[in-house]
Amino acid sequence: MPTLLADVDRAAFVAALVHRLRSRGVDVGMTSATAFTEALAVVPPARVRDLYWSARITLVNRQEDLALFDRVFDAAFADAVLAVDPHARRTGTTELPERPSDALAPMTGDPDEEGTASTLPWHTLPRHVDGTEDDNPVVLPEVLPSAVARIADTPLDELDGRELAVLGRWLERSAHEWPTRRSRRLGVGATGSRIALRATMAASRRTGGEAFELHRLEAVRRPLPVTLLCDVSQSMQSHSTAYLHLMRAFARSRQAETFAFSTSLTRLTPALRQASPSAAIALASAQVVDRYGGTHLAGCLRELLASRHAHGIRGGVLVIASDGWDSDPPQLLTAAMARASRRARRVVWLNPRAAVPGFEPLVGSMAAALPYCDAFLPAHTLRSLGDVLAAISGGLSSRA
């Protein structure tokens, strides 16, 4: 009996289908994709119905994803007429509201050189940029969890509560690369120009006194303190909640200090270390009494530098999330930023307005602070927050 996918690369086919499902919101993991690939090899589908059940059994893990899976499958295979499974949906089922963006049209492959579309419902080749024509290197897509990849390029000010929760969980898992510095202390490691005699001699006792393995001394790296300040004034209202999730990820990972400022400075570290993300954000929001008011950036930064928490800035990383609108004179911010840059090892500034095409730091306070920043990033989407994590850990340290 001829199979449905006789001349199709199974791995590429599965990757295309999984990408389509993830883009529509179905949570598909790598284990499920592997199981689907193995199912196609063990039982090659002869009909679309067989393909449907192989994909549904292996790729769908949650009951609420069944409706989305059916819509994606029907859009890809227009001739599939599938009955509803009453046993899988007889309890606890609520129909998802139909949105204009959920309307899916049957997909076909891209036109070939003659302008005719292929018979496959989508490309079966992985997407990449071939560098044979323009001598550019091959660019592979960044691997992100499916729930994260779906909102990776969505502006932070357009995320709802559920998507912000996904953002918070991803940030908490991604903040493991903590910024470090090289100390004067030496420790036993895999690399180094000096041989660790004591460790080498101790290891030689297990090999009859022969030093078959040389242990070396390398510099011990110490973690740097991180201080994060988030602008919660009226102009930053749409981005402040997402930045609070970023601050919570660092507050729970290591000893990082977090502050919010508008007209005054508020320490949020104890509140953001709560185990529940929603409870932490709610408690932090309740503690900021001047939220969505004016901005005294220079005054709040001077207050931080004069407080007992200023020692955390010395030799560490200072992160400021603000659009640069300040009621204080730019001269005051210049003096405060100069003092902070002398203390901090790196100063990272996050400005979501910088993502607007043609943006120029013409605001007086922003122009005054920019010369003292080691990294100036837009941080307007979840994907761009990866650059923020790299800048904090030292990956992006060039001055703007």
Side-chain angles (χ1 to χ4, degrees):
M1 178 181 296
T3 61
L4 186 65
L5 305 175
D7 299 326
V8 176
D9 186 342
R10 287 194 303 269
F13 179 83
V14 172
L17 177 58
V18 169
H19 172 73
R20 182 65 174 171
L21 292 172
R22 288 175 175 175
S23 64
R24 304 309 301 176
V26 182
D27 189 5
V28 183
M30 290 301 299
T31 304
S32 300
T34 304
F36 182 42
T37 306
E38 295 175 352
L40 293 179
V42 174
V43 185
R47 299 172 300 172
V48 175
R49 182 182 181 86
D50 300 335
L51 178 63
Y52 169 83
W53 285 110
S54 297
R56 173 173 161 175
I57 291 173
T58 55
L59 299 181
V60 181
N61 300 312
R62 301 184 306 178
Q63 187 176 9
E64 56 267 26
D65 291 338
L66 288 174
L68 286 174
F69 173 81
D70 287 345
R71 286 206 292 269
V72 172
F73 194 90
D74 291 340
F77 301 92
D79 58 340
V81 181
L82 305 169
V84 176
D85 180 12
H87 299 287
R89 305 181 185 181
R90 61 187 176 184
T91 58
T93 303
T94 56
E95 287 293 333
L96 297 176
E98 185 70 23
R99 297 179 298 177
S101 60
D102 289 334
L104 301 178
M107 298 179 60
T108 58
D110 286 353
D112 53 18
E113 295 180 357
E114 300 178 356
T116 59
S118 63
T119 56
L120 292 176
W122 50 68
H123 277 301
T124 57
L125 295 178
R127 298 185 301 169
H128 69 280
V129 179
D130 194 355
T132 56
E133 297 181 359
D134 53 359
D135 296 331
N136 291 328
V138 175
V139 179
L140 298 177
E142 181 183 1
V143 179
L144 293 174
S146 57
V148 177
R150 184 172 60 88
I151 60 174
D153 297 315
T154 304
L156 296 179
D157 55 351
E158 297 180 7
L159 300 180
D160 56 22
R162 181 179 178 182
E163 293 169 338
L164 284 174
V166 173
L167 167 71
R169 290 192 296 269
W170 176 76
L171 285 172
E172 192 168 354
R173 293 193 300 267
S174 303
H176 59 278
E177 294 187 3
W178 198 263
T180 60
R181 66 175 179 85
R182 179 177 177 177
S183 67
R184 297 181 180 180
R185 187 178 297 275
L186 298 178
V188 179
T191 61
S193 58
R194 296 173 56 185
I195 297 177
L197 295 178
R198 181 174 296 179
T200 301
M201 294 301 295
S204 68
R205 298 191 186 100
R206 298 191 294 268
T207 56
E210 296 290 341
F212 287 104
E213 182 181 1
L214 294 180
H215 294 268
R216 300 184 178 275
L217 292 175
E218 61 181 8
V220 176
R221 303 195 67 85
R222 299 296 187 188
L224 293 176
V226 178
T227 305
L228 301 99
L229 285 80
C230 180
D231 187 350
V232 293
S233 61
Q234 181 67 33
S235 59
M236 288 287 291
Q237 179 177 357
S238 56
H239 293 84
S240 58
T241 303
Y243 288 158
L244 286 178
H245 280 285
L246 174 64
M247 296 166 63
R248 178 180 177 272
F250 279 91
R252 286 184 56 82
S253 299
R254 290 284 185 91
Q255 294 295 326
E257 287 293 343
T258 57
F259 299 87
F261 68 89
S262 181
T263 57
S264 61
L265 189 67
T266 305
R267 182 171 178 259
L268 300 179
T269 306
L272 292 178
R273 285 180 180 168
Q274 299 292 324
S276 172
S278 57
I281 300 301
L283 182 59
S285 301
Q287 290 184 0
V288 183
V289 295
D290 57 344
R291 194 177 187 184
Y292 306 146
T295 308
H296 291 284
L297 196 157
C300 293
L301 184 57
R302 292 172 59 188
E303 180 182 351
L304 175 62
L305 294 174
S307 66
R308 63 183 180 89
H309 301 288
H311 70 277
I313 302 177
R314 189 179 302 279
V317 182
L318 175 63
V319 183
I320 303 176
S322 175
D323 55 3
W325 292 92
D326 190 10
S327 301
D328 295 331
Q331 296 81 1
L332 296 180
L333 184 59
T334 300
M337 286 296 297
R339 184 181 176 189
S341 65
R342 288 193 298 268
R343 288 193 177 189
R345 191 180 187 91
R346 284 194 300 275
V347 178
V348 180
W349 193 292
L350 313 181
N351 188 343
R353 314 298 177 191
V356 178
F359 169 82
E360 294 183 7
L362 300 179
V363 179
S365 299
M366 191 71 260
L370 196 57
Y372 303 98
C373 299
D374 296 283
F376 182 73
L377 304 171
H380 63 296
T381 62
L382 185 148
R383 192 182 302 276
S384 65
L385 289 179
D387 295 335
V388 176
L389 298 176
I392 294 176
S393 61
L396 298 175
S397 59
S398 60
R399 281 197 178 270

